[in-house]
Amino acid sequence: MTRTISMLIYAGGQSLDISGPLEVFALADRQAHEDGTSRAPLYRLQLVAHDRAAVALSSGMRVVPDLTCAQVDAAAIDTLLVSGGMGDALDQVRANKALVDWLGSNASRIRRIGSICSGALLLAETGLLDGREATTHWRDVAELRQRYPQVRVVPDAIYTRDGPVWTSAGITAGMDLALAMVADDHGMPLALKVAKRMVMVSKRSGGQSQFSSQLTDLDVPDAFARLAEWIRGNLRSRLSVDILAGQACMSPRHFGRRFQQAFGSTPQKYVEQLRVEAAKSLLENSTRDLKRIASDCGFASEDAMRQAFLRHLGIRPSAYRERFGAA
C-alpha cells in the first residue's frame, strides 16, 4: 500500500521543517526499492497550502504547493504533517480561521497527524492537542503551555506520540519523528538503513535540552528571573524550598504555588535541572573528574549526579562527556 504523506506549508514556514521529514520518507521509498522488498512506492509525497500561489518560506525560498486544502481529499491522506514557522508567520496562519477549521474538521478522516517544531501551536489552535501529550521547540514550550492549558506539554522530548497525533521538537527533530513513523509503518530494519544513509542516529539518547540551551530560560516575572540568577550563582549551597522562599521574600506555601506557575516545575526539579545544566558545561569544557564536577555543581555525590542526568537527559555524565566533550 502506498501511503500519502501531505505536508501543510504556509508563508514564513521553515524550509528544513518541510524538506527534512519528506527526505526521510523519500529515502525509505528508495531504500525499499533497492532492497527489492516493495514493488509499489511506499510513500507518495505532496505539499498542501491554503491557496495555489507560491509560498515564500523564512529562508526566502519559494515553494509551489501541489494542492490547495480545498482540492485535497482528506480521506486519501495517510499522514498530514504541519511545518513550523518563524516570527509572525505562525501568528498569521493561526489567525486564518478557514485553515484552522479545515484542519480541525478533517482530522478525524486522516490516520495520522503530526507537527514539526512550532507547528504544534497550529495543531493546538484547532483543539487537536487537548488532553494529549505534545512537545514543540524549547523556545515555544512556554507559549504552548500558557496559551493552550489543556495540552499536556512534554518540554524535554525529541518527539511525542499520543494516539494518532505526533509532535516533534525543533527543526531537525522533525526528521527523528519521520524516522519513527517509517519504523512504525515498515519496521525498524528499514528505518535503521534510512538513518545510516542520512548519517543520523536512529534514536537520540536524550531530550532536546541535551542539544539546546536551558529550557527554563523562559519569560518569567522579574522577581523569579532574579531568583534564577541567584540560584545559578549558589548551586553548591543547600537550596531547600524554605531557603528559596526566603530569598524571594515569600512564605514557602505561596512561593511553591507561584514558582510552579512561573516555571511549570517544582523548585526542587528546577534546581536539579540547573545543576545538570552546569555539569553539562563542565563536561563539555573541562577535564575535571566526575566526582569534582558533581561537588562543584551542588550534587550530594557522583551517583546523585548520574541519576539526575538519567532523569533529565536519558544519558550518563560519562557518556555525555564522550559525545560532547572537547577532544
Side-chain angles (χ1 to χ4, degrees):
M1 181 182 67
T2 301
R3 302 176 188 272
T4 298
I5 309 292
S6 298
M7 176 70 75
L8 182 65
I9 62 175
Y10 50 86
Q14 297 174 141
S15 56
L16 191 55
D17 283 8
I18 299 165
S19 62
L22 293 183
E23 285 293 345
V24 171
F25 292 113
L27 272 176
D29 191 49
R30 190 176 309 160
Q31 185 68 51
H33 178 74
E34 291 176 4
D35 291 345
T37 57
S38 177
R39 294 183 180 179
L42 299 185
Y43 298 105
R44 179 185 299 111
L45 309 178
Q46 63 185 22
L47 300 178
V48 178
H50 186 247
D51 54 54
R52 195 64 175 166
V55 176
L57 304 179
S58 61
S59 62
M61 185 186 303
R62 299 180 70 84
V63 180
V64 178
D66 298 299
L67 296 167
T68 66
C69 293
Q71 295 172 324
V72 170
D73 176 8
I77 297 176
D78 176 83
T79 303
L80 176 67
L81 298 176
V82 178
S83 61
M86 297 286 284
D88 295 334
L90 199 63
D91 291 335
Q92 293 174 6
V93 76
R94 281 187 295 185
N96 186 333
K97 188 175 184 303
L99 179 60
V100 172
D101 288 347
W102 179 84
L103 263 176
S105 61
N106 284 285
S108 62
R109 305 174 64 200
I110 299 170
R111 183 179 74 91
R112 182 170 60 189
I113 293 179
S115 63
I116 317 300
C117 195
S118 58
L121 296 171
L122 179 54
L123 288 189
E125 186 71 20
T126 70
L128 289 174
L129 299 186
D130 287 357
R132 298 185 186 275
E133 288 192 346
T135 194
T136 186
H137 190 282
W138 61 270
R139 292 185 63 126
D140 298 307
V141 164
E143 182 176 0
L144 182 60
R145 179 183 284 129
Q146 293 164 11
R147 184 165 178 170
Y148 307 102
Q150 298 304 311
V151 180
R152 291 156 49 203
V153 179
V154 183
D156 190 26
I158 297 298
Y159 66 85
T160 66
R161 177 184 184 180
D162 192 326
V165 181
W166 303 53
T167 60
S168 67
I171 309 178
T172 56
M175 299 166 71
D176 295 87
L177 178 142
L179 200 63
M181 288 181 169
V182 169
D184 194 56
D185 292 343
H186 300 288
M188 184 56 74
L190 177 60
L192 288 172
K193 289 182 179 180
V194 174
K196 186 175 181 180
R197 290 184 69 153
M198 300 189 79
V199 197
M200 291 174 62
V201 293
S202 60
K203 181 174 176 60
R204 299 199 212 187
S205 55
Q208 60 176 316
S209 66
Q210 181 176 321
F211 309 96
S212 69
S213 61
Q214 178 60 42
L215 288 179
T216 50
D217 197 7
L218 309 171
D219 290 331
V220 296
D222 288 344
F224 282 107
R226 290 192 295 271
L227 177 64
E229 284 302 308
W230 182 85
I231 294 172
R232 289 188 181 96
N234 292 273
L235 289 176
R236 297 186 67 174
S237 303
R238 180 172 172 269
L239 298 174
S240 66
V241 172
D242 286 349
I243 290 172
L244 296 179
Q247 186 66 28
C249 301
M250 299 179 190
S251 70
R253 184 175 180 181
H254 182 58
F255 171 78
R257 184 167 56 250
R258 288 283 308 279
F259 193 98
Q260 182 79 39
Q261 292 170 349
F263 291 97
S265 170
T266 65
Q268 296 93 331
K269 185 175 181 180
Y270 180 76
V271 169
E272 184 176 84
Q273 196 169 15
L274 289 188
R275 285 176 170 149
V276 167
E277 192 72 13
K280 283 167 53 182
S281 179
L282 291 176
L283 290 166
E284 292 167 9
N285 301 300
S286 80
T287 58
R288 300 178 200 177
D289 62 45
L290 297 183
K291 184 176 181 180
R292 183 180 171 189
I293 289 176
S295 175
D296 288 345
C297 296
F299 290 105
S301 66
E302 183 181 336
D303 184 63
M305 180 173 73
R306 183 184 304 112
Q307 294 303 319
F309 264 66
L310 290 171
R311 278 192 295 273
H312 289 268
L313 304 177
I315 188 172
R316 290 177 171 81
S318 56
Y320 185 91
R321 167 172 270 172
E322 184 177 323
R323 181 169 301 184
F324 298 107

